[in-house]
Amino acid sequence: MWGRIRQRIWQGRSVRAHRLPRSSSRGYNSELPSDARSRVDRVINRLPRFLQRFALPLRDAPVTHIGSFLVLHELTAVIPLFLLTGIFHYTRWLPPYISEGKWVSDGMEKFGRYFRRKGWLGDDDITGGASRWWGRGEKGVRLIAELATAFAIVKIFLPFRLALSVWATPWFARAAMMPVLGRVKQVWMASFGHLDSMASSILFAYVRTYAQRTPNWREKSTDIYIPITNVRAADISLRPEFLALFPLAGIQPTDLITLDDMPPPAECGSCLKPGNTDWILIDHNALQGQLGKVYQSRIAGVIDHHEDEGFVPQDTGDEPRMIDKSGSCASLVTQHCREPWEKISRDPGPDQNKDDDFVAWDAQLAKLALAPILIDTANLTWEPKVTAHDVRAVEYLESKLARLSPDLAGYDRGSFYQNINTAKQNIGGLATNEILRKDYKEWTEKGDRKLGISSVVRSLEWLAEHETSGAPAGKAPTGLGTLLREFAEERDLSLYAIMTAFTAADGDFRRELLVWARDAGCIPVLERFREAADAELGLERWQGKSLGVSGDGHGLTIWRQHEVGKSRKQVAPLLRRCVEETFSGH
């Protein structure tokens, strides 16, 4: 399903169309649509060897440059072809030697078949064949000879045409291709690439892109909504729940558009100009870091279930502004997309098979959306998190599956939830550093102070033991304290927190919270947070065994959190507010 959608994005307008050429030091993903890649390869292979080195960079060029080259390659053939044909026809002259060669004979056969197929030339018109090419000719035979001769000359000049196309490609891309491509609608898969964000943004992008093509929903049909997974491609393997869900949703890991497909943040403004984009925020409502600095004014809508930070305009026109409490953002996206999604199912469009693709895609999308809702609400059993949005979304998505044939649906809620949840908990094969990266979010607060929070599905004691037991053979374990210091230093964090959520041996669901003021200037933030969060989060000084983490009471504190219904969705705003208040002098 998503491979087909991604291909349509490629054929339309994607973020990669504005990407810089790949540099090995930047690790850009240079994947192109297979048909475009093979065509470029065929063209390059037809060049003389001494010219191929000038054209090879096209294989890793931006899509706009690939498109420009292919257009120029055709223009340098079509324009001379008809220009020369006109000259030969009106001067009644054909160049000797060329008009008698094999290429002209081949051209005569090719154009003759085409003209006869179109009904422009009868079989009797070519009786006598080559004997009537010269002189006045009869009916359309003379025109075919002229066209075939022009075709032969165009083929002779192929190396020069290709060299001209390569030379003019950058100019043509700037002057013609990018203005023609127009505005790009992007769905930034925000919040840092977890299951809820990924599923929500793909569902939203699919429905909004395809629903425009149905006659009864929207007249406008030129926007392409592009979900970008805010992780590196290599980090997808750190999310076993993704890998468990993808086969059920018809997705390959390589189908996702990731940060590797974006230019470096500092260069986004020049490669992907703000005026060519609109940004729809999914599962967050504030664009952070360099992207926020460049594209803040281009935020056009939002669907989110976090606290409203006030960055999204109140009037978003045709785009949604939906910020509401729910267990999962996918529930809100499902609610927003329900009506247009139904219209797609009833009226998939003139170029799609309603009984084929769209029926299968409905089943895959329904499972894609169900996964985060069930995971985030513990199969709709976690009362502090379940809302009416979540219940209605699950009922609707399961009703779509129920309308499908059993072989397409293949769904049982209990086993489906258990399958995804078991995969999510299966982090034993990851290094401790990878576990901290797996579900990590970062914010830049007042005074460029960076706050990072890792969510982990195991206890702090488990993390410490895992770091010790997971040391490579022959290498002394670094200890959890050293690992945390390296992790925070690598990201230049002023404040770092770890939130754990796990089921203890006695069957109780528990949460732990570690907060480290790595920057000494943030120790007052930690004190303020302790005062503000003590009652709200039910904090109790942690009494576990030593974790090998130094600094407890001097910039680092660990608590057991008794209010287990309060997740990062509540803790992060509280920490960020403490940073704001501390450095604003409040």
Side-chain angles (χ1 to χ4, degrees):
M1 176 267 293
W2 180 240
R4 291 280 299 276
I5 302 169
R6 188 175 191 262
Q7 183 181 30
R8 179 173 292 277
I9 289 173
W10 267 106
Q11 294 168 345
R13 298 180 295 273
S14 88
V15 72
R16 302 181 191 207
H18 302 271
R19 191 184 68 191
L20 291 176
R22 184 180 67 172
S23 164
S24 57
S25 63
R26 291 172 181 161
Y28 291 160
N29 185 331
S30 62
E31 181 185 349
L32 293 172
S34 58
D35 54 347
R37 179 183 292 279
S38 61
R39 188 172 181 187
V40 170
D41 287 341
R42 287 198 304 270
V43 171
I44 291 176
N45 290 337
R46 290 160 64 186
L47 279 171
R49 188 175 298 275
F50 75 92
L51 286 176
Q52 288 186 9
R53 64 189 181 94
F54 298 105
L56 284 175
L58 282 168
R59 287 173 171 164
D60 294 321
V63 173
T64 45
H65 284 55
I66 295 291
S68 297
F69 172 76
L70 294 176
V71 170
L72 287 170
H73 176 61
E74 297 301 328
L75 290 178
T76 56
V78 173
I79 293 175
L81 178 67
F82 286 102
L83 182 62
L84 289 171
T85 301
I87 293 173
F88 296 153
H89 184 76
Y90 289 104
T91 61
R92 296 181 178 274
W93 173 82
L94 289 174
Y97 306 113
I98 293 179
S99 56
E100 297 174 349
K102 183 178 185 304
W103 282 351
V104 174
S105 300
D106 293 343
M108 285 285 292
E109 294 181 9
K110 177 185 295 186
F111 293 118
R113 287 194 300 268
Y114 179 77
F115 279 31
R116 287 196 302 274
R117 189 165 62 248
K118 290 293 186 180
W120 299 340
L121 192 67
D123 290 335
D124 59 330
D125 293 328
I126 58 173
T127 304
S131 64
R132 281 180 280 184
W133 291 4
W134 289 92
R136 300 176 63 87
E138 293 185 10
K139 298 183 180 180
V141 177
R142 176 172 154 239
L143 180 60
I144 295 178
E146 293 161 346
L147 191 60
T149 303
F151 174 74
I153 294 174
V154 169
K155 291 193 68 171
I156 291 173
F157 283 91
L158 174 64
F160 301 98
R161 289 171 36 225
L162 292 175
L164 176 62
S165 299
V166 171
W167 175 79
T169 285
W171 169 83
F172 192 78
R174 290 192 303 269
M177 290 296 288
M178 288 185 182
V180 168
L181 289 177
R183 294 166 59 83
V184 179
K185 283 286 182 68
Q186 289 193 54
V187 178
W188 178 255
M189 182 184 171
S191 278
F192 317 93
H194 53 71
L195 181 65
D196 196 14
S197 297
M198 181 274 296
S200 297
S201 60
I202 289 179
L203 174 60
F204 182 87
Y206 167 82
V207 171
R208 291 303 297 263
T209 297
Y210 273 85
Q212 297 174 84
R213 301 168 57 249
T214 64
N216 299 321
W217 193 46
R218 295 181 68 191
E219 295 181 1
K220 193 175 182 181
S221 61
T222 59
D223 294 333
I224 301 293
Y225 291 75
I226 305 169
I228 303 179
T229 307
N230 195 5
V231 295
R232 296 295 176 189
D235 286 351
I236 292 175
S237 62
L238 305 183
R239 293 157 173 80
E241 64 272 24
F242 279 29
L243 304 181
L245 177 62
F246 283 170
L248 304 177
I251 297 174
Q252 297 292 329
T254 53
D255 289 336
L256 297 185
I257 301 173
T258 69
L259 291 179
D260 292 332
D261 301 309
M262 294 282 286
E267 299 177 17
C268 277
S270 57
C271 301
L272 185 59
K273 296 183 179 179
N276 292 336
T277 69
D278 282 341
W279 291 74
I280 313 297
L281 306 185
I282 302 295
D283 200 21
H284 71 152
N285 60 83
L287 204 53
Q288 292 289 324
Q290 184 67 28
L291 290 173
K293 296 176 182 177
V294 176
Y295 300 110
Q296 180 63 46
S297 63
R298 302 305 306 174
I299 295 177
V302 62
I303 300 181
D304 187 29
H305 62 148
H306 297 88
E307 180 179 325
D308 190 350
E309 299 186 39
F311 288 100
V312 181
Q314 291 297 320
D315 183 4
T316 56
D318 291 338
E319 302 297 353
R321 193 187 194 283
M322 182 184 293
I323 302 178
D324 202 356
K325 180 182 178 182
S326 65
S328 170
C329 185
S331 300
L332 300 179
V333 173
T334 299
Q335 177 179 323
H336 172 75
C337 294
R338 181 169 179 168
E339 180 182 349
W341 191 359
E342 284 299 301
K343 290 180 178 179
I344 295 174
S345 300
R346 292 195 301 267
D347 178 21
D351 61 338
Q352 299 292 338
N353 186 331
K354 180 177 179 179
D355 297 326
D356 243 350
D357 287 345
F358 275 81
V359 173
W361 292 2
D362 265 5
Q364 293 168 343
L365 278 168
K367 292 177 181 178
L368 184 71
L370 277 165
I373 301 174
L374 297 178
I375 291 296
D376 289 347
T377 63
N379 201 10
L380 295 183
T381 63
W382 194 356
E383 293 185 5
K385 294 198 70 173
V386 177
T387 69
H389 294 301
D390 304 304
V391 175
R392 285 196 297 266
V394 169
E395 290 175 350
Y396 169 67
L397 294 168
E398 290 184 340
S399 72
K400 290 187 77 70
L401 290 173
R403 296 198 295 266
L404 301 173
S405 58
D407 59 321
L408 278 175
Y411 171 80
D412 172 76
R413 185 197 294 180
S415 59
F416 178 78
Y417 165 75
Q418 196 62 42
N419 179 29
I420 306 300
N421 189 53
T422 299
K424 182 179 180 181
Q425 307 295 323
N426 184 22
I427 61 174
L430 302 178
T432 312
N433 180 280
E434 294 174 331
I435 294 171
L436 299 180
R437 283 164 43 204
K438 177 180 180 292
D439 192 356
Y440 171 77
K441 294 187 178 184
E442 185 177 289
W443 298 264
T444 300
E445 299 302 325
K446 194 172 185 64
D448 289 331
R449 289 173 173 84
K450 294 172 70 175
L451 162 65
I453 303 179
S454 295
S455 290
V456 180
V457 295
R458 298 292 184 92
S459 69
L460 288 170
E461 287 185 357
W462 184 93
L463 269 182
E465 292 171 1
H466 183 71
E467 173 60 17
T468 301
S469 62
K475 181 179 178 182
T478 59
L480 186 59
T482 301
L483 177 67
L484 297 188
R485 183 171 61 254
E486 293 174 350
F487 188 89
E489 287 176 352
E490 181 182 344
R491 291 157 179 78
D492 193 26
L493 299 178
S494 299
L495 203 65
Y496 180 52
I498 298 177
M499 297 188 65
T500 68
F502 61 97
T503 301
D506 59 7
D508 288 344
F509 180 75
R510 296 183 183 179
R511 287 190 181 275
E512 300 164 326
L513 176 60
L514 178 153
V515 182
W516 177 28
R518 175 173 168 265
D519 181 348
C522 285
I523 292 180
V525 176
L526 184 57
E527 297 298 328
R528 186 184 291 265
F529 175 76
R530 182 184 291 115
E531 295 172 3
D534 187 42
E536 183 175 345
L537 301 180
L539 299 181
E540 175 190 356
R541 182 62 65 92
W542 193 74
Q543 300 296 329
K545 65 182 181 181
S546 174
L547 301 176
V549 179
S550 61
D552 189 23
H554 301 281
L556 185 147
T557 305
I558 307 174
W559 296 279
R560 178 177 175 183
Q561 180 184 320
H562 289 282
E563 291 292 337
V564 294
K566 303 294 179 66
S567 64
R568 183 169 53 190
K569 191 162 59 174
Q570 289 77 34
V571 174
L574 186 55
L575 263 173
R576 296 174 64 195
R577 187 163 60 248
C578 290
V579 175
E580 174 72 22
E581 292 173 354
T582 299
F583 294 103
S584 297
H586 294 166

